[in-house]
Amino acid sequence: MPSPVLIILLLTLSISLSSAQTYNILSYGAKPDGKTDSTKALAAVWAKACASVKAVTISIPKGRFLLRSIVFDGAKCKRKSVTFRIQGTLVAPSDYRVIGNGNYWIFFQHLDGLSVYGGVLDAQGASLWSCKKSGKNCPSGATSIGFQSSSNVVISGLTSLNSQMFHVVINGCRNVNIQGVKVSADGNSPNNDGIHVQSSSIVSILNSKISTGDDCVSIGPGTNGLWIENVACGPGHGISIGSLGKESVEAGVQNVTVKTATFTGTENGVRIKSWARPSNGFAKNIRFQHCVMNNVQNPIVIDQNYCPGNENCPNQVSGIKISDVMFFDIHGTSATQVGVKFDCSSKKPCTGIRLQDVKLTYRNKPAMADCSHAGGTEAGFQQPNSCL
């Protein structure tokens, strides 16, 4: 039996290892003036955190901290878990070229047990949007914050302003909880998806408000087990599964639920879209329920003839198989006459579509429905009359 002294030493060591260590970026030279470059300070804090065997919290206090592109890679860290507590604002350089040629402004990868609480990300993307609209030669722009190859991730209370490209990207992750997030950008901001999820499983997006120039939430290939609830969208392009089928060999999308969502003045409400070209991908077991449409151009839409600019897909048909999709309790106003549009693939028609308790009006009259290559059933109240 171990001696009492040894037991005390082991307990002391255990407590020491388990007690959290907090690093404040002010202690490493960061200044909250919005002008002093704090990138080196934050990189130095990350190096300390990465080398620690203790649980680590990185603290970013109130103020504005100028930040260039930075990567938080946990591949060689002693602990893969870390917590960021952000009370202040991280602001990108006003010259969009500084971060605009990279894929990400802030990037996390190879972590397990990452939490990001609070904070504002101000990417100052408006000048890049203007460059793009002018037709000049501009960088493609950076996603504001990305998470890749990580698990057990919490993103809570984060605000993203004026991203150059996408605001938040989840790629190749497992068990991600996004809650209380606010995304804000101009309704004309290009390629400005709010939250994009792909190649990830067990992801939830809860209690969030997204206003942007592209999809509020976009769901890419390889997504399995996504739950979206209590999300307000607008302006924007709605909640979209796709675009799917850009590649001929592509992972499918399955087990997606969108529940209690409100769309206001958006281009689309709930949408599935795929390229009009061959692919082995699919979308199945999708649920859209309890959604409110306020003056939405296309409240319910499946578009399998997506072919922007009529390039690389004219005269072809989509190979994406869409099946088992339910639209339940969706009501409100359409900004166009056609409130329900199912434009499915002639090669692989949509099957198992279910409409239940749908009520959409256009200028105080019932909206219309338009179906092509779509099969399924309807139940409960139907306005417009089902075209399945």
Side-chain angles (χ1 to χ4, degrees):
M1 181 175 177
S3 70
V5 173
L6 180 58
I7 291 172
I8 291 169
L9 285 172
L10 287 171
L11 284 170
T12 303
L13 178 62
S14 175
I15 292 168
S16 172
L17 288 174
S18 63
S19 59
Q21 176 77 46
T22 298
Y23 296 104
N24 190 313
I25 64 168
L26 295 179
S27 303
Y28 291 79
K31 290 187 169 57
D33 57 10
K35 298 175 183 177
T36 305
D37 189 344
S38 297
T39 312
K40 286 184 178 178
L42 192 48
V45 169
W46 177 251
K48 278 279 190 182
C50 196
S52 176
V53 295
K54 296 181 181 180
V56 170
T57 295
I58 294 174
S59 174
I60 300 175
K62 291 179 180 178
R64 290 175 66 82
F65 296 89
L66 182 64
L67 184 68
R68 291 179 286 110
S69 300
I70 191 164
V71 176
F72 301 106
D73 189 345
K76 296 181 180 178
C77 291
K78 291 185 177 177
R79 285 179 67 110
K80 303 293 185 186
S81 61
V82 66
T83 298
F84 282 75
R85 292 198 177 273
I86 309 172
Q87 294 178 295
T89 297
L90 301 177
V91 57
S94 56
D95 181 352
Y96 57 75
R97 293 169 296 185
V98 176
I99 68 167
N101 288 302
N103 292 326
Y104 293 93
W105 175 26
I106 301 166
F107 187 57
F108 296 89
Q109 64 180 352
H110 305 131
L111 291 159
D112 184 355
L114 168 67
S115 298
V116 179
Y117 294 108
V120 177
L121 309 179
D122 184 357
Q124 302 204 90
S127 57
L128 178 57
W129 310 338
S130 298
C131 178
K132 289 181 176 182
K133 288 174 186 173
S134 72
K136 295 177 183 175
N137 186 20
C138 318
S140 59
T143 286
S144 281
I145 188 166
F147 303 83
Q148 184 168 300
S149 304
S150 296
S151 57
N152 302 307
V153 176
V154 173
I155 305 157
S156 179
L158 179 73
T159 296
S160 175
L161 306 176
N162 301 321
S163 181
Q164 290 187 345
M165 277 275 286
F166 292 8
H167 288 261
V168 180
V169 168
I170 308 296
N171 181 25
C173 294
R174 179 178 175 84
N175 194 19
V176 180
N177 184 345
I178 302 170
Q179 56 185 330
V181 165
K182 182 180 179 182
V183 168
S184 181
D186 188 86
N188 293 317
S189 53
N191 301 115
N192 218 240
D193 290 18
I195 300 173
H196 177 74
V197 180
Q198 68 178 38
S199 303
S200 297
S201 60
I202 318 175
V203 178
S204 59
I205 302 170
L206 310 173
N207 308 321
S208 296
K209 187 178 190 313
I210 302 170
S211 307
T212 191
D214 211 305
D215 294 332
C216 290
V217 180
S218 55
I219 302 157
T223 300
N224 183 0
L226 172 62
W227 187 280
I228 300 170
E229 184 171 1
N230 195 24
V231 168
C233 170
H237 291 185
I239 294 179
S240 295
I241 295 176
S243 306
L244 305 180
K246 189 171 184 180
E247 307 299 332
S248 59
V249 178
E250 187 178 275
V253 172
Q254 56 193 319
N255 306 317
V256 175
T257 296
V258 177
K259 181 180 180 183
T260 320
T262 302
F263 302 84
T264 303
T266 52
E267 186 173 291
N268 307 288
V270 291
R271 172 171 64 160
I272 303 174
K273 64 173 178 174
S274 70
W275 287 77
R277 53 206 279 181
S279 178
N280 70 338
F282 62 85
K284 66 181 182 181
N285 193 23
I286 315 295
R287 301 288 179 266
F288 299 110
Q289 56 196 65
H290 311 309
C291 296
V292 177
M293 306 290 169
N294 297 315
N295 199 37
V296 172
Q297 291 181 39
N298 305 291
I300 295 174
V301 58
I302 295 177
D303 177 10
Q304 292 205 258
N305 285 294
Y306 181 68
C307 189
N310 281 321
E311 295 180 2
N312 303 318
C313 42
N315 306 314
Q316 298 185 67
V317 295
S318 177
I320 297 290
K321 175 61 179 177
I322 296 175
S323 63
D324 189 17
V325 183
M326 184 177 78
F327 302 89
F328 171 56
D329 182 28
I330 297 179
H331 59 275
T333 56
S334 175
T336 61
Q337 199 166 10
V338 178
V340 177
K341 186 175 180 65
F342 297 141
D343 187 10
C344 297
S345 170
S346 58
K347 183 178 180 181
K348 293 189 178 177
C350 299
T351 57
I353 307 297
R354 182 176 174 84
L355 289 166
Q356 183 173 344
D357 296 330
V358 174
K359 185 178 182 180
L360 295 168
T361 61
Y362 169 66
R363 294 182 177 175
N364 298 317
K365 295 180 180 179
M368 295 175 61
D370 183 10
C371 294
S372 180
H373 310 294
T377 60
E378 64 273 348
F381 190 86
Q382 292 295 321
Q383 184 178 291
N385 292 327
S386 172
C387 57
L388 291 171

